[in-house]
Amino acid sequence: FPNGESGLDVYNRAATFINTLFRDFCNPNINFDDDYNVVIVTHGLTLRLFLMRWFQFSVEDFENTVNPENGGTVVMNRMCEYDDVSQSTKAWFEVDVESRRKLKLPEHRQHI
């Protein structure tokens, strides 16, 4: 569309949304369970730009991805692992294997 949002506009909006998610997750007034779920309903381009920002994909990596089919789902999981050396729990996010395949996403892991 001639007067529509550019990819950069959508990327910036996705980045702002991620900031809002983190701010809400850290808000002590919101009672999240230890195992809460978030469902995001969005368009394919916005989803791909959200994932690009979240996992810090390069532009080249982004350009090799594809939109999910209409009504498709993409699952991103929070993973945890206890590290004996540091005696702490490491946490990170990953998009599941099936979703990575559908979107042609590169390998990734985002530590938190």
Side-chain angles (χ1 to χ4, degrees):
F1 298 103
N3 296 320
E5 287 183 299
S6 69
L8 180 60
D9 292 333
V10 178
Y11 179 89
N12 288 335
R13 204 161 33 89
T16 300
F17 176 65
I18 289 170
N19 290 339
T20 300
L21 280 176
F22 274 94
R23 188 172 52 249
D24 287 350
F25 293 159
C26 295
N27 184 340
N29 296 323
I30 299 175
N31 296 320
F32 290 112
D33 294 331
D34 288 339
D35 189 23
Y36 56 88
N37 296 298
V38 176
V39 176
I40 301 170
V41 179
T42 189
H43 295 275
L45 177 64
T46 306
L47 170 67
R48 289 170 45 225
L49 288 164
F50 171 87
L51 294 173
M52 178 189 185
R53 175 64 181 92
W54 187 282
F55 292 107
Q56 301 174 8
F57 293 148
S58 69
V59 172
E60 181 181 357
D61 286 338
F62 167 78
E63 289 177 345
N64 289 324
T65 64
V66 297
N67 287 343
E69 62 186 38
N70 286 339
T73 58
V74 173
V75 177
M76 185 168 73
N77 294 303
R78 182 175 183 267
M79 312 296 283
C80 294
E81 176 178 88
Y82 186 75
D83 180 24
D84 291 327
V85 175
S86 66
Q87 296 186 346
S88 64
T89 301
K90 306 280 185 188
W92 67 93
F93 288 93
E94 292 180 358
V95 175
D96 74 356
V97 173
E98 182 182 343
S99 298
R100 277 200 321 262
R101 181 188 52 75
K102 286 191 286 190
L103 300 177
K104 298 184 179 177
L105 292 175
E107 291 294 320
H108 59 275
R109 182 182 276 195
Q110 179 62 37
H111 290 272
I112 54 172

